[in-house]
Amino acid sequence: MDSTVSFKIPAKREFVGLVRLAIGGLSQVAPFDVDATEDLKLVLSEICTSIINSSEDEDTDLSFSITLNKAELTVEVDSVEAVNEMVSATSSGLTKAGSQKYGLSIIMALMDKVELLSDGNGHSVLRLKKFF
């Protein structure tokens, strides 16, 4: 059975700690170790920081959906800015990180699967997976 936790935060530096706390709390019910928990915290911090640094709109929000099942943990970050930043960070999809986009390299190294999903109308989701 899948369990999903969803929340939305303002794209401001002072709220990044809340995302890290949510992952820490989730580790109490998920079958992953301390290292995997710290990896997830680092990845989500990198994503939040990238979005906050690139956002020109002070009213931007970040929506997170974290789904846990027996085989994997899936994190979806719903933000147009996130996708625009990630796409511009690579020369061909998600295969190569640009030299100034060190954060993307970290994200791809620490997650088992990274997907960029777009409906073509400006709505996009960054999906991250960690397998158990």
Side-chain angles (χ1 to χ4, degrees):
M1 183 168 104
D2 291 355
S3 299
T4 301
V5 175
S6 300
F7 58 96
K8 183 190 293 190
I9 63 167
K12 297 181 180 176
R13 285 177 179 76
E14 55 267 26
F15 290 96
V16 175
L18 184 59
V19 176
R20 294 177 59 84
L21 282 171
I23 292 298
L26 188 62
S27 71
Q28 301 300 311
V29 297
F32 50 87
D33 60 18
V34 174
D35 290 333
T37 302
E38 292 303 315
D39 288 350
L40 286 165
K41 287 180 181 180
L42 178 60
V43 164
L44 290 176
S45 294
E46 287 292 331
I47 291 169
C48 289
T49 300
S50 175
I51 295 168
I52 290 165
N53 289 341
S54 67
S55 178
E56 296 176 10
D57 183 4
E58 289 190 20
D59 293 329
T60 299
D61 288 326
L62 301 174
S63 296
F64 296 87
S65 177
I66 304 167
T67 303
L68 177 66
N69 64 36
K70 292 179 184 177
E72 68 189 31
L73 174 82
T74 303
V75 179
E76 292 185 349
V77 182
D78 189 343
S79 171
V80 174
E81 285 80 8
V83 173
N84 290 339
E85 180 67 18
M86 293 298 170
V87 169
S88 67
T90 62
S91 57
S92 59
L94 288 173
T95 57
K96 297 180 188 175
S99 60
Q100 67 265 43
K101 302 300 180 184
Y102 182 65
L104 183 60
S105 297
I106 291 171
I107 293 165
M108 294 186 67
L110 295 177
M111 297 305 294
D112 295 325
K113 188 173 184 180
V114 179
E115 298 175 294
L116 220 40
L117 309 170
S118 177
D119 66 3
N121 296 318
H123 181 259
S124 303
V125 173
L126 179 63
R127 181 179 295 155
L128 313 165
K129 291 187 181 250
K130 191 76 167 170
F131 301 111
F132 305 126

